[in-house]
């Protein structure tokens, strides 16, 4: 079985995002692999380690620094990397989910033909969560989003999926299929130094986005990017009576 | 407490400073502190604007909590009162009054010190003067990176504030979420970035100190915040590391470093201490100017942190120990941290370094994002809290030539701990430190036992200190003296030096009201 994993390069999870010149500031900002993509890579590598999959290919779209993101994926255990190079912003400002899904589709249908596509459930920059479902629609294949558990079952997979009310189990009967990964699925491994060294020798292929013949123009126009208003300072009250009065009349959370 | 009144003739003798040792001995025999009276409390209340949250009586549980130090080794010693001034003027008025009335004071910041320096002593039941209300950051020059703030600012708040504007406070410690900059200054706190960013004292550009008699000394604090200034004695440096015995620091002007845009960290495991030294040398050579910190953790502490279950460990001591190359005391873990201005450049340096050390290490893990970077540091910073939770910990913070760390540890284990015949599950020696700074934290913990054991103390002390001094090391690298190590000063310094220190104390605090029983030896 071959698995294709999507890995996105985003502003580092621990970094405070700022707005500059009307958009999210990316210059000199630390960027790393999207945490949900890390979980997807981890799951793919585990499937390979349990001999369910034979090959894991990582795919990333973005500027030349995406090769670093791919190297992390390779250090975690992926076999090969594909880098679709573009200088368009991938945080929704320029490249948007439909274009991304179409690029994935082309690689899948015309190049790799994987049995399983693992993606993070959403990018922590755009928070869209759309590439997975859109890709499955384009491929006309089964999709399970927000996977908390993935088990090989018959010739497909049994997936536990997160919902607001709890989890539901879905049996994917035919492949290929798209699974997007959620937080509880696994805890991604660290990249050990020997594996980082090995990863340097694994092949990474670069494809220029503009040579793919896909219309990459954004479908939605970003009108405004602003920081959330600063949190108001809290106040100290003198006693319980004052607290109740404020909860009643100011915060209006008491009847 | 009985008050002893001097005759006016004796007072005259005491005010003459011609022969310090004589006066010092005399003063020690008569060490009068007055009892706290209702009218004293009235005066304090008035100074603090009659605000009830700024003056707490001894009976308040907050005061009891403030009277016990972080390690639990000291206290609760009954404090007479707790005061929380909000301005330098209030600190000045309080001290002026206490000086007149001869009431002893212990200044207190975050109370995270490890030598009992910021809590009252049983002997004197000092008034606790907390700086926590003075928590304003008053200015940050965005071009120069010069920050001015009050002493009660929590270190992490100061770090976050400066980082927001692209500046790095040149001090970091595990206690950053609780400790206050005033306390850091009065203890000359060290931390892991000492080698790269220099000592805290070196970065102090200005200081505001209130003396024992209430006078406010200002050295380039309220104005003239410059990086370079040579217009007077650098007297302000005397207060840094004086642990509240010469004056109370109320404000500081600090020089910050440019905030590194690129931070990288790796944990590596070495089979032997010799390999640790090789890795250290190569790190200096290949990482060069971006090397910010190198922290060591031995197999014992790594195993304890692992067992606490609070962290996802990047490496396992258990797995590594089975490697045949692992020698006595190993494996050894190193946290290597770099700060730079350009991630691409830094990563190139890291590649060269990792290639150079690949045969010197058993294994290693490189952080792939800032979350992993932070969790590596959390693992390192959990060393102290982990042993503190397991039982009473005998802590020895020493400086040693780096090459001798493991040799000294082995000596202590063999000659002092071994003969006690305790099992591994009841007594453990765990070691970690700022290896780049030559600073080792040697810890002995009695698992499950929270009371101090005399036979263990006697097995360790004074041998630990004597053996360190014999090797030319320091018996207190960064933790300071407090009431834990002040008695050792005569074995460290000669009489001329000690006498000089006592003279400074006598000059600045003639009535000995500031933090008595700390820093300088109590018995003459």
């Amino acid at each position: 079985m071959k698995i294709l994993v999507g890995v996105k390069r985003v502003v580092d999870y621990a970094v405070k995002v700022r707005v500059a010149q009307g958009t999210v500031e990316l210059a000199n900002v630390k960027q790393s692999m999207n945490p949900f993509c890390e979980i997807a890579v981890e799951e793919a590598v585990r499937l390979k380690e349990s001999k369910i999959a034979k090959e894991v290919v990582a795919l990333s779209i973005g500027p030349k620094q995406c090769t670093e993101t791919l190297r992390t994926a390779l250090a975690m255990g992926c076999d090969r990397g594909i880098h679709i190079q573009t200088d368009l912003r991938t945080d929704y400002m320029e490249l948007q989910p439909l274009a991304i899904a179409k690029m994935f589709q082309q690689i899948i249908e015309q190049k790799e033909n994987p049995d399983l596509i693992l993606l993070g459930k959403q990018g922590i920059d755009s928070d869209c969560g759309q590439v997975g479902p859109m890709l499955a629609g384009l491929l006309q294949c089964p999709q399970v989003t927000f996977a908390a558990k993935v088990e090989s079952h018959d010739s497909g997979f049994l997936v536990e999926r997160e919902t607001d009310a709890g989890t539901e189990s879905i049996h994917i009967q035919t492949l290929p299929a798209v699974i997007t990964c959620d937080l509880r699925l696994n805890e991604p491994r660290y990249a050990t130094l020997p594996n980082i060294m090995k990863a340097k020798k694994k092949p990474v292929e670069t494809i220029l986005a503009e040579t793919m013949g896909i219309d990459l123009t954004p479908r939605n126009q970003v009108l405004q990017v602003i920081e959330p208003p600063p949190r108001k300072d809290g106040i100290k009250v003198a006693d319980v009576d004052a607290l109740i009065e404020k909860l009643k009349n100011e915060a209006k959370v008491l009847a | 407490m009985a008050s002893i009144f001097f005759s006016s003739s004796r007072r005259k003798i005491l005010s003459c400073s011609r022969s310090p040792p004589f006066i010092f001995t005399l003063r020690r025999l008569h060490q009068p502190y007055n009892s706290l009276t209702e009218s004293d409390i009235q005066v304090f209340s008035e100074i603090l604007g009659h605000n009830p949250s700024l003056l707490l009586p001894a009976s308040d549980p907050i005061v009891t909590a403030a009277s016990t130090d972080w390690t639990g080794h000291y206290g609760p010693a009954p404090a007479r009162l707790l005061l929380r001034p909000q301005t330098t003027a209030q600190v000045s008025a309080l001290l002026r009054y206490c000086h007149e009335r001869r009431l002893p004071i212990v200044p207190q910041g975050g109370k995270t010190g490890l030598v009992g320096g910021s809590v009252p002593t049983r002997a004197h039941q000092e008034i606790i003067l907390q700086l926590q209300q003075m928590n304003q950051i008053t200015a940050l020059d965005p071009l120069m990176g010069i920050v001015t703030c009050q002493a009660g600012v929590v270190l992490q708040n100061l770090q976050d504030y400066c980082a927001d504007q692209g500046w790095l406070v040149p001090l970091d410690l595990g206690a950053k979420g609780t400790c206050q900059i005033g306390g850091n200054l009065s203890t000359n706190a060290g931390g892991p970035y000492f080698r790269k960013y220099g000592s805290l004292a070196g970065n102090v550009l200005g200081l505001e100190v209130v003396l024992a008699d209430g006078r406010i000394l200002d050295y380039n604090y309220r104005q003239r915040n410059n990086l370079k200034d040579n217009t007077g004695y650098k007297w302000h440096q005397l207060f840094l590391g004086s642990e509240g015995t010469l004056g109370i620091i109320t404000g500081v002007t600090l020089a910050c470093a440019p905030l590194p845009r690129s931070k990288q960290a790796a944990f590596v495991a070495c089979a032997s201490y010799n390999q640790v030294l090789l890795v250290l040398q190569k790190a200096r050579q290949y990482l060069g100017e971006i090397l910010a910190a190198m922290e060591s953790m031995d197999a014992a502490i790594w195993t304890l942190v692992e067992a606490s279950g609070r962290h996802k460990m990047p490496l396992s001591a258990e797995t590594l120990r089975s490697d045949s190359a692992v020698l006595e005391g190993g494996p050894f873990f190193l946290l290597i941290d770099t700060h730079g201005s350009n991630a691409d450049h830094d990563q190139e340096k890291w590649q060269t370094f990792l290639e150079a050390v690949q045969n010197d290490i058993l294994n290693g893990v490189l952080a792939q994002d800032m979350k992993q970077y932070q969790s590596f540091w959390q693992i390192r910073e959990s060393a102290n809290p982990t042993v503190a939770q397991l039982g009473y910990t005998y802590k020895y913070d020493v400086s040693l030539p780096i090459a001798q760390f493991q040799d000294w540890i082995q000596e202590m284990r063999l000659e002092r701990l071994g003969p006690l015949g305790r099992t591994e599950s009841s007594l453990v020696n765990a070691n970690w430190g700022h290896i780049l700074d030559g600073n080792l934290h040697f810890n002995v913990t009695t698992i499950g036992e929270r009371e101090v054991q005399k036979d263990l103390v006697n097995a360790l002390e004074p041998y630990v200190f004597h053996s360190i001094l014999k090797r030319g090391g320091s018996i207190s690298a960064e933790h300071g003296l407090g009431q834990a190590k002040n008695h050792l000063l005569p074995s460290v310094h000669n009489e001329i030096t000690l006498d000089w220190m006592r003279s400074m104390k006598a000059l600045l605090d003639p009535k000995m009201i500031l933090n008595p029983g700390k820093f300088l030896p109590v018995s003459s």
Side-chain angles (χ1 to χ4, degrees):
Chain A
M1 177 184 293
K2 183 199 284 193
I3 302 179
L4 181 80
V5 189
V7 294
K8 191 179 188 191
R9 181 172 176 266
V10 299
V11 171
D12 190 286
Y13 165 75
V15 164
K16 184 178 171 188
V17 172
R18 279 174 214 276
V19 173
Q21 274 121 39
T23 187
V24 170
E25 186 178 42
L26 293 180
N28 279 330
V29 171
K30 168 82 182 166
Q31 298 193 49
S32 317
M33 190 190 294
N34 183 40
F36 295 109
C37 299
E38 257 180 34
I39 294 172
V41 169
E42 175 64 27
E43 197 61 21
V45 172
R46 287 188 191 186
L47 285 168
K48 184 176 158 206
E49 282 169 348
S50 50
K51 309 272 196 251
I52 293 161
K54 226 174 111 196
E55 195 189 12
V56 180
V57 183
L59 171 60
S60 190
I61 304 172
K64 70 170 166 66
Q65 289 93 338
C66 282
T67 50
E68 284 157 32
T69 319
L70 284 168
R71 289 289 162 208
T72 302
L74 295 171
M76 286 172 73
C78 296
D79 300 295
R80 290 188 279 123
I82 301 174
H83 173 207
I84 299 178
Q85 190 170 324
T86 173
D87 284 327
L88 293 172
R89 287 174 71 127
T90 51
D91 59 350
Y92 203 83
M93 302 303 161
E94 287 171 344
L95 207 57
Q96 289 177 358
L98 186 57
I100 293 171
K102 285 183 179 173
M103 286 194 273
F104 265 77
Q105 179 193 17
Q106 192 182 98
I107 298 291
I108 289 166
E109 288 178 343
Q110 295 177 23
K111 201 177 183 307
E112 294 294 332
N113 290 299
D115 303 285
L116 178 64
I117 299 110
L118 283 176
L119 305 173
K121 76 167 176 182
Q122 66 198 60
I124 60 169
D125 47 6
S126 59
D127 275 341
C128 290
Q130 292 169 9
V131 169
M134 281 179 174
L135 179 59
L138 291 169
L139 295 173
Q140 299 270 294
C141 76
Q143 61 166 288
V144 180
T145 52
F146 319 142
K149 192 151 177 230
V150 172
E151 273 175 336
S152 170
H153 186 85
D154 291 344
S155 49
F157 288 95
L158 194 60
V159 184
E160 253 183 54
R161 175 177 183 265
E162 307 271 30
T163 71
D164 285 340
T167 58
E168 55 184 8
S169 292
I170 300 188
H171 179 200
I172 299 175
Q173 294 174 314
T174 62
L175 299 177
V178 174
I179 297 177
T180 77
C181 304
D182 207 338
L183 218 50
R184 276 200 307 145
L185 179 55
N186 61 47
E187 217 184 334
R189 65 193 60 192
Y190 285 110
T192 63
L193 296 181
N195 287 341
I196 290 173
M197 292 298 175
K198 279 191 221 141
K200 288 206 283 196
K201 305 202 182 81
K202 294 182 180 176
V204 173
E205 190 190 336
T206 306
I207 301 168
L208 299 176
E210 52 265 26
T211 64
M212 293 177 80
I214 298 172
D215 180 11
L216 303 177
T217 45
R219 288 302 220 264
N220 300 309
Q221 187 194 350
V222 174
L223 296 176
Q224 196 189 17
V225 177
I226 50 171
E227 281 184 34
R231 204 165 149 260
K232 265 180 36 198
D233 281 344
I235 54 164
K236 271 202 187 140
V237 288
D239 51 33
V240 175
D241 288 331
L243 175 64
I244 293 178
E245 192 267 321
K246 293 226 180 273
L247 287 174
K248 224 186 236 182
N249 301 324
E250 272 184 38
K252 298 208 200 306
V253 294
L254 288 181
Chain B
M1 261 182 135
S3 312
I4 300 168
F5 293 94
F6 291 104
S7 68
S8 54
S9 56
R10 252 199 214 146
R11 218 176 251 138
K12 282 211 193 92
I13 296 172
L14 287 170
S15 67
C16 154
S17 48
R18 233 174 284 142
S19 48
F22 166 73
I23 291 173
F24 191 71
T25 312
L26 195 65
R27 282 214 183 96
R28 182 156 294 111
L29 288 175
H30 308 286
Q31 208 179 52
Y33 294 122
N34 286 315
S35 308
L36 199 61
T37 63
E38 262 311 306
S39 66
D40 292 331
I41 298 177
Q42 288 305 321
V43 172
F44 292 146
S45 183
E46 171 146 4
I47 292 171
L48 297 173
H50 298 296
N51 185 332
S53 62
L54 303 180
L55 189 156
L56 302 179
S59 53
D60 193 314
I62 290 177
V63 181
T64 316
S67 303
T68 312
D69 82 314
W70 190 90
T71 63
H73 296 183
Y74 300 98
R80 307 177 191 204
L81 200 65
L82 185 99
L83 300 173
R84 289 172 168 167
Q86 293 181 313
T87 64
T88 305
Q90 285 178 352
V91 175
S92 170
L94 290 170
L95 279 183
R96 194 179 322 123
Y97 184 79
C98 288
H99 188 255
E100 252 171 60
R101 280 278 297 136
R102 214 179 273 269
L103 296 166
I105 292 210
V106 51
Q108 190 179 90
K111 198 172 64 72
T112 56
L114 301 171
V115 289
S118 55
V119 291
T121 59
R122 276 191 198 289
H124 307 298
Q125 299 169 352
E126 296 87 338
I127 296 167
I128 302 176
L129 192 143
Q130 284 186 338
L131 276 304
Q132 49 146 258
Q133 292 286 312
M134 297 178 62
N135 59 6
Q136 297 303 302
I137 301 169
T138 44
L140 169 57
D141 182 331
L143 197 55
M144 301 294 283
I146 298 174
V147 67
T148 312
C149 68
Q150 294 180 317
V153 172
V154 170
L155 180 62
Q156 188 163 18
N157 290 345
L158 187 61
Q159 291 174 335
D160 292 344
Y161 183 90
C162 295
D164 243 13
Q165 305 203 42
W167 293 99
L168 179 80
V169 170
L171 173 70
D172 195 22
L173 333 156
K176 69 192 105 180
T178 310
C179 65
Q180 296 166 16
I181 190 68
N184 296 142
L185 293 162
S186 63
T187 56
N188 193 33
Y193 293 127
F194 186 94
R195 200 76 176 85
K196 179 157 173 61
Y197 295 108
S199 83
L200 184 57
N203 291 303
V204 171
L205 305 175
L207 202 68
E208 183 184 75
V209 183
V210 180
L211 296 178
D213 60 9
R215 282 181 295 164
I216 302 170
L217 283 187
D218 180 326
Y219 182 87
N220 295 344
Y221 170 68
R222 291 200 185 268
Q223 46 186 334
R224 290 187 307 276
N225 302 143
N226 302 296
L227 287 173
K228 294 168 91 166
D229 175 274
N230 273 345
T231 58
Y233 294 131
K234 304 279 183 292
W235 58 260
H236 63 302
Q237 293 279 325
L238 188 61
F239 293 93
L240 305 175
S242 65
E243 302 183 27
T245 57
L246 296 180
I248 297 185
I249 295 170
T250 47
V252 64
T253 305
L254 266 184
C256 293
L259 190 72
R261 294 282 161 209
S262 157
K263 299 210 279 197
Q264 319 285 340
F267 260 123
V268 302
C270 295
S272 70
Y273 193 69
N274 278 338
Q275 286 190 330
V276 167
L277 294 175
L278 273 173
V279 171
L280 184 129
Q281 286 166 325
K282 289 184 185 175
R284 285 221 189 95
Q285 183 183 350
Y286 293 99
L287 296 172
E289 69 279 12
I290 65 169
L291 183 61
M294 189 179 297
E295 301 285 290
S296 65
M297 293 172 74
D298 72 357
I301 187 60
W302 190 270
T303 308
L304 290 175
V305 173
E306 207 166 359
S308 77
R310 270 199 213 97
H311 303 275
K312 176 163 169 260
M313 308 298 282
L315 297 162
S316 160
E318 189 79 43
T319 318
L320 291 165
R321 208 180 277 122
S322 57
D323 190 308
S324 56
V326 173
L327 294 185
E328 176 71 51
F332 299 89
F333 298 85
L334 290 174
L335 173 60
I336 304 169
D337 182 11
T338 62
H339 290 179
S341 56
N342 186 312
D344 290 334
H345 295 176
D346 291 357
Q347 269 152 20
E348 227 184 279
K349 286 193 168 84
W350 269 97
Q351 285 312 308
T352 325
F353 166 65
L354 291 173
E355 270 161 39
V357 295
Q358 55 188 331
N359 295 325
D360 303 322
I361 59 176
L362 292 170
N363 203 348
V365 172
L366 185 63
Q368 296 298 302
D369 54 43
M370 293 317 288
K371 187 154 141 264
Q372 290 184 4
Y373 174 94
Q374 283 164 5
S375 67
F376 285 5
W377 272 103
Q378 278 163 12
I379 288 171
R380 161 60 186 91
E381 284 170 355
S382 71
N384 192 12
T386 300
V387 294
Q389 285 208 322
L390 289 171
Y392 192 97
T393 302
Y394 304 80
K395 307 184 72 63
Y396 300 97
D397 158 51
V398 299
S399 275
L400 260 186
I402 298 172
Q404 295 183 33
F405 275 25
Q406 193 57 23
D407 195 46
W408 179 76
I409 290 170
Q410 294 295 75
E411 182 189 314
M412 291 300 105
R413 282 182 174 175
L414 213 61
E415 295 179 17
R416 309 316 318 170
L417 297 175
L420 293 170
R422 308 276 186 102
T423 62
E424 248 178 54
S425 54
S426 68
L427 185 77
V428 69
N429 161 234
N431 307 288
W432 61 88
H434 314 295
I435 194 172
L436 207 55
D437 306 336
N439 182 190
L440 174 69
H441 296 310
F442 176 82
N443 288 262
V444 178
T445 306
T446 46
I447 312 271
E449 270 298 316
R450 300 231 162 257
E451 295 302 313
V452 65
Q453 291 172 12
K454 273 286 146 205
D455 64 328
L456 200 39
V457 176
N458 293 333
L460 291 167
E461 300 180 24
Y463 306 97
V464 166
F465 304 121
H466 289 169
S467 60
I468 288 290
L469 290 171
K470 210 159 101 184
R471 289 168 185 258
S474 165
I475 54 151
S476 185
E478 55 179 9
H479 292 173
L481 301 166
Q483 54 179 311
K485 296 189 201 163
N486 50 345
H487 65 282
L488 295 166
L489 275 194
S491 36
V492 178
H493 296 297
N494 64 32
E495 195 47 40
I496 296 173
T497 311
L498 285 173
D499 206 52
W500 188 91
M501 290 196 221
R502 292 184 196 122
S503 304
M504 288 315 299
K505 172 70 174 175
L507 175 69
L508 290 166
D509 183 18
K511 294 194 183 176
M512 311 255 296
I513 62 164
L514 289 176
N515 224 359
K518 316 264 180 57
F519 198 81
L520 287 174
V522 172
S523 50
S524 48

